[in-house]
Amino acid sequence: MDFEQKYTDEQEQFRKEVRVWMEANVPEEMKEPINRRADFTEEMFEFWKPKFRELAGKGWLLYTCAYPKEYGGGGRSAAQETILAEEFHRYRVPRISNYYSLPILLVWGTEEQKRQFLVPLMKGEEFSWWKLTEPHSGADLASYQSRAVRDGDDWLLSGTNVFISGRGMPDWLFGPMLTDSDAPRHRNLGLFFIPCPAPGLEVRAMSLLNGDEQHFIFMDNVRVPGNHLIGGDHQGWQVANTGLEQEHGSRGQAFPADPVVDSLVAYMQERADEDPVRQQVGAAARIDGHVHDLFTKRTYWMHTGRLEAQWEGPASSLYGREYGLRNAGRVREVMGMYSLLDTHDSMAPHQGLQEAEQRNSLQHMHGAGSLNINKVIVARRIGISRTRERSAPMHATAPA
Ligand SMILES: Cc1cc2nc3c(=O)[nH]c(=O)nc-3n(C[C@H](O)[C@H](O)[C@H](O)COP(=O)(O)OP(=O)(O)OC[C@H]3O[C@@H](n4cnc5c(N)ncnc54)[C@H](O)[C@@H]3O)c2cc1C
């Protein structure tokens, strides 16, 4: 079997059109910075906002390109999404997406909610941040304490979140809130779309090892209308799990680029490194990267084929994060001190890409839930845990 991705003439023509746009619209100084979390500026965010709208208008915005046209998506094929992912990577177009809110609204939103919330998100007119983690427990999401209390037809929301990722400022925050403190776990949450800004809502930057993309959220009686609740009063756990399914890897990736391994191999090729031990280390990094590439493409193939991924999604997410950390160590072994020179150091190989990854690989152990959560899900789905679990509905697998 030939595993190489091949494109038809028509698809290559599509790629050419995308490249013409990229050449004309992506200036060098607006490309995704190498040290992307620390060096992505407000100016870049403002530059890209109208560009994303333009891309979405063409059905070329990553992720929304593959969603239904009737809700503002591009209606593109898997091959076209793959081409777009390849070209976004080639031209270093930043990612500011609504990756988690789209499937939630597609699966759980009413027709009215899809028109109100989903369409502007699809069209790149608005942006949303996924608001889950609380200070007292992140991994144990079901122990949520932030509350939603009914007030007439409205809800009043209060609570605190930490580590909330996003660039610029969002138009919406979305996530679960405790709607019934007497109800059992998994039946006591509702999932809300919360306008931002709003009276009583504060978003504060949270600096981590790798930059400023995380935030604290403080909510003190933030008023939202009743129709901002997605799903039923007590369905928030189920609704959130559609987003978590995606976050845990079940959508796969059309083009899982690995600039870290590419840079490591290029570094060794540039120096014609003949050291047999370092060669083994470089080869192991490439092999690990390739295994992950196959994992994510397989899951992507399942997703686009409307097959329900069970353990495959969280297993690929787990593998990706673990090998990322392994490879950061391998990079230090091969490149030594040069792996720690940052973007702004003229001696840094490949503009300091590896230094940024030394820090990113550590934080990847925590974002999108901890590694242990991935392990627990895989164990449940392959039948070696006392709890059994099936994947949550995704847009591709939920009945229309
Ligand atoms: C860079 C970054 C970006 C993030 N982005 C977002 C975001 O956009 N939105 C958002 O809501 N959150 C975000 N997070 C938060 C992230 O989801 C949490 O850090 C993660 O869920 C773990 O929660 P915690 O840090 O509170 O650790 P804890 O929950 O305190 O866990 C500590 C340790 O205990 C283990 N553990 C806890 N419970 C269990 C269990 N039941 N079974 C087995 N092991 C367990 C964990 O695996 C971990 O090793 C982000 C975090 C980072 C670092």
Side-chain angles (χ1 to χ4, degrees), residues 130-133 138-139 163-165 208 214 363 366-370 372:
W130 194 200
K131 181 199 81 63
L132 292 161
T133 307
F163 294 119
I164 307 308
S165 302
L208 299 186
Q214 275 65 51
Q363 64 88 17
H366 306 281
S370 58
N372 290 336

Side-chain angles (χ1 to χ4, degrees), residues 37 100 129-141 144 161-166 174 176 185 206 208 210 213-215 244 247-248 321 360 362-376 380:
R37 288 171 192 268
Y100 304 114
W129 292 358
W130 194 200
K131 181 199 81 63
L132 292 161
T133 307
E134 292 187 320
H136 68 282
S137 73
D140 185 14
L141 271 181
Y144 228 67
N161 295 96
V162 288
F163 294 119
I164 307 308
S165 302
F174 66 102
R185 276 161 70 93
M206 182 180 187
L208 299 186
N210 57 338
E213 267 185 26
Q214 275 65 51
H215 304 83
L244 289 170
E247 183 158 30
H248 292 148
R321 297 198 282 165
N360 287 335
L362 291 171
Q363 64 88 17
H364 282 150
M365 301 301 113
H366 306 281
S370 58
L371 292 187
N372 290 336
I373 297 307
N374 275 153
K375 289 177 189 167
V376 167
R380 287 176 177 169

Side-chain angles (χ1 to χ4, degrees), residues 15-34:
R15 183 194 301 282
K16 277 189 196 144
E17 285 170 39
V18 174
R19 280 197 190 164
V20 168
W21 188 92
M22 295 284 176
E23 290 291 341
N25 286 278
V26 189
E28 196 58 36
E29 67 278 12
M30 289 297 156
K31 289 187 172 172
E32 179 79 284
I34 299 288

Side-chain angles (χ1 to χ4, degrees), residues 137-322:
S137 73
D140 185 14
L141 271 181
S143 69
Y144 228 67
Q145 290 182 6
S146 295
R147 279 164 196 277
V149 178
R150 268 195 189 282
D151 186 43
D153 290 340
D154 297 344
W155 292 86
L156 294 174
L157 314 184
S158 299
T160 305
N161 295 96
V162 288
F163 294 119
I164 307 308
S165 302
R167 291 177 154 179
M169 269 292 151
D171 301 283
W172 299 99
L173 298 167
F174 66 102
M177 304 289 295
L178 187 64
T179 47
D180 183 349
S181 49
D182 295 329
R185 276 161 70 93
H186 305 132
R187 300 277 178 86
N188 54 358
L189 304 170
L191 188 133
F192 291 86
F193 263 68
I194 307 158
C196 185
L201 176 70
E202 187 189 346
V203 177
R204 201 184 293 169
M206 182 180 187
S207 291
L208 299 186
L209 181 66
N210 57 338
D212 285 333
E213 267 185 26
Q214 275 65 51
H215 304 83
F216 296 98
I217 308 287
F218 302 99
M219 289 179 297
D220 182 12
N221 284 313
V222 177
R223 182 174 290 279
V224 299
N227 74 336
H228 287 211
L229 173 72
I230 313 295
D233 289 20
H234 302 134
Q235 278 185 311
W237 178 256
Q238 288 71 24
V239 177
N241 264 283
T242 290
L244 289 170
E245 193 64 47
Q246 182 136 316
E247 183 158 30
H248 292 148
S250 293
R251 191 183 189 276
Q253 286 182 65
F255 176 61
D258 194 340
V260 174
V261 177
D262 293 344
S263 149
L264 177 66
V265 172
Y267 180 87
M268 296 184 76
Q269 288 168 345
E270 285 155 17
R271 279 153 191 79
D273 195 333
E274 290 295 336
D275 180 274
V277 176
R278 281 200 296 273
Q279 283 177 351
Q280 283 174 34
V281 173
R286 175 56 90 204
I287 291 166
D288 247 353
H290 190 63
V291 172
H292 181 245
D293 182 274
L294 293 176
F295 250 137
T296 54
K297 282 182 178 157
R298 197 258 298 255
T299 317
Y300 181 70
W301 167 78
M302 293 179 80
H303 178 78
T304 52
R306 302 180 79 85
L307 297 168
E308 209 173 50
Q310 291 299 332
W311 59 272
E312 294 88 345
S316 94
S317 160
L318 176 64
Y319 192 86
R321 297 198 282 165
E322 287 187 331

Side-chain angles (χ1 to χ4, degrees), residues 322-373:
E322 287 187 331
Y323 101 84
L325 193 62
R326 278 198 294 277
N327 275 3
R330 288 168 176 150
V331 166
R332 288 196 302 279
E333 274 184 63
V334 171
M335 293 172 60
M337 301 288 270
Y338 287 95
S339 63
L340 303 179
L341 296 180
D342 94 345
T343 313
H344 306 288
D345 191 311
S346 59
M347 301 272 286
H350 304 165
Q351 298 163 283
L353 180 146
Q354 296 294 358
E355 188 278 338
E357 186 56 21
Q358 291 296 316
R359 290 174 287 117
N360 287 335
S361 59
L362 291 171
Q363 64 88 17
H364 282 150
M365 301 301 113
H366 306 281
S370 58
L371 292 187
N372 290 336
I373 297 307

